[in-house]
């Protein structure tokens, strides 16, 4: 077990990352700064239970490609870590299991912040044993255009009644677990992995949407064509 020490704060950003894009990196940078985190771990899912295939009908790209793109994307920052934890797991990978494993790896003294876009958060009530999740880590919910923050507040009130908001309604804390939901507003970064896959298929440029090293990798490997 690797203990990061008392008071350290680590953000966990899970996703499919097919491919990683500037929106993911903006989320990580925003939360790192806003909550003064010590690091953000990117955790690609091997076979996400909610995405047996993409909604655009495509198969999910091999884990090895998705992790290679992540490694290239985070390379400039020592504060970003790419975790291959999910590769070693038997599919499917559920967040509850991932957080439990990470808690063991990271140790009990480190504060964990599970980072999630509000679009994904609004589906949390379909996740395995979702009611146990906020007891294991703080939840940081990022705004995304088209998803009103009130929807996230409604969901917290309905499904997690032990959590009460402070004056700004941005932080919802639970006295017994000592954990919180933190609703963060972020300037929208209008990019999604779906849009990137579509652009590559249509022969359109993606250089504004992903780091240069990721665009190069996609070209070299002939992904998404
Ligand atoms: P897809 O288009 O394939 O559904 P995606 O772009 O939403 O993918 P994921 O890997 O599924 O990317 O997302 C991982 C996490 O990052 C999710 O919590 C998602 O809400 C969040 N996220 C992705 N893109 C953005 C963005 N542009 N702004 C804010 N959050 C984002």
């Amino acid at each position: 077990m690797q203990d990061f020490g008392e008071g350290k704060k680590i953000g966990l950003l899970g996703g499919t990352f097919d491919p990683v894009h500037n929106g993911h990196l903006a989320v990580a940078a925003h939360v790192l700064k806003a909550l003064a985190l010590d690091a953000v771990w990117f955790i690609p899912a091997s076979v996400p239970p909610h995405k047996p295939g993409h909604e655009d009908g495509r198969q999910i790209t091999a884990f090895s490609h998705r992790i290679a793109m992540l490694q290239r994307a985070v390379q400039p920052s020592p504060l970003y870590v790419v975790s291959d934890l999910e590769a070693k797991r038997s599919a499917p990978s559920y967040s509850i299991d991932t957080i439990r494993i990470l808690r063991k790896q990271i140790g009990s003294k480190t504060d964990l912040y599970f980072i999630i876009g509000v679009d994904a958060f609004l589906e949390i009530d379909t996740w395995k044993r979702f009611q146990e999740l906020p007891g294991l880590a703080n939840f940081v919910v990022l705004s995304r255009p088209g998803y009103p923050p009130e929807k996230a507040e409604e969901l917290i009130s309905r499904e997690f009644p032990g959590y009460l908001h402070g004056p700004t309604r941005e932080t919802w804390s639970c006295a017994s677990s000592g954990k919180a939901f933190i609703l963060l507003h972020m300037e929208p970064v209008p990019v999604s992995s779906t849009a990137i896959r579509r652009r590559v298929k249509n022969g359109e440029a993606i250089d504004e949407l992903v780091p240069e090293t990721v665009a190069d990798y996609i070209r070299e490997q002939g992904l998404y064509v």
Side-chain angles (χ1 to χ4, degrees):
M1 186 183 81
Q2 188 181 3
D3 211 322
F4 285 79
E6 201 152 357
K8 292 279 187 213
K9 295 158 70 170
I10 294 191
L12 309 173
L13 179 56
T16 315
F17 301 110
D18 193 10
V20 60
H21 55 65
N22 291 345
H24 298 127
L25 297 173
V27 165
H30 186 81
V31 182
L32 194 77
K33 191 166 172 210
L35 301 183
L37 301 182
D38 294 286
V40 173
W41 288 28
F42 292 75
I43 308 166
S46 57
V47 181
H50 301 286
K51 280 188 177 176
H54 289 297
E55 279 167 23
D56 53 17
R58 286 176 166 253
Q59 290 291 307
I60 293 174
T61 304
F63 188 84
S64 56
H65 282 313
R66 290 183 288 123
I67 212 153
M69 291 187 279
L70 270 167
Q71 278 159 349
R72 282 162 175 75
V74 307
Q75 192 119 57
S77 174
L79 302 178
Y80 294 158
V81 174
V82 180
S83 167
D84 65 356
L85 162 83
E86 302 253 333
K88 297 170 192 144
R89 299 253 312 277
S90 54
S93 50
Y94 291 102
S95 298
I96 182 95
D97 305 323
T98 305
I99 296 179
R100 281 191 193 285
I101 294 167
L102 279 168
R103 176 52 86 194
K104 278 206 193 117
Q105 276 188 2
I106 291 175
S108 59
K109 294 182 192 147
T110 304
D111 288 333
L112 297 182
Y113 293 80
F114 190 89
I115 304 166
I116 183 168
V118 65
D119 55 318
F121 181 67
L122 292 178
E123 294 179 359
I124 200 171
D125 53 354
T126 64
W127 295 12
K128 179 184 163 191
R129 289 162 57 192
F130 71 96
Q131 266 148 333
E132 293 170 38
L133 287 167
L136 301 173
N138 299 289
F139 263 66
V140 185
V141 183
L142 271 300
S143 61
R144 246 186 132 171
Y147 298 90
E150 297 77 39
K151 293 258 179 226
E153 296 180 14
E154 274 166 36
L155 189 141
I156 297 169
S157 304
R158 190 177 67 239
E159 301 294 349
F160 306 99
Y163 287 75
L164 301 175
H165 65 78
T168 62
R169 304 180 77 88
E170 278 171 6
T171 304
W172 296 62
S173 319
C174 175
S176 59
S177 71
K179 303 273 189 302
F181 289 99
I182 302 161
L183 309 182
L184 282 188
H185 175 75
M186 196 184 104
E187 281 308 307
V189 182
V191 49
S192 68
S193 300
T194 306
I196 293 164
R197 295 192 298 271
R198 190 174 52 233
R199 288 185 74 88
V200 175
K201 174 122 189 91
N202 294 341
E204 293 162 352
I206 55 164
D207 302 83
E208 306 289 310
L209 308 178
V210 297
E212 196 181 338
T213 48
V214 173
D216 288 345
Y217 186 90
I218 291 171
R219 269 190 292 273
E220 283 158 24
Q221 300 291 327
L223 301 181
Y224 311 121
V225 287

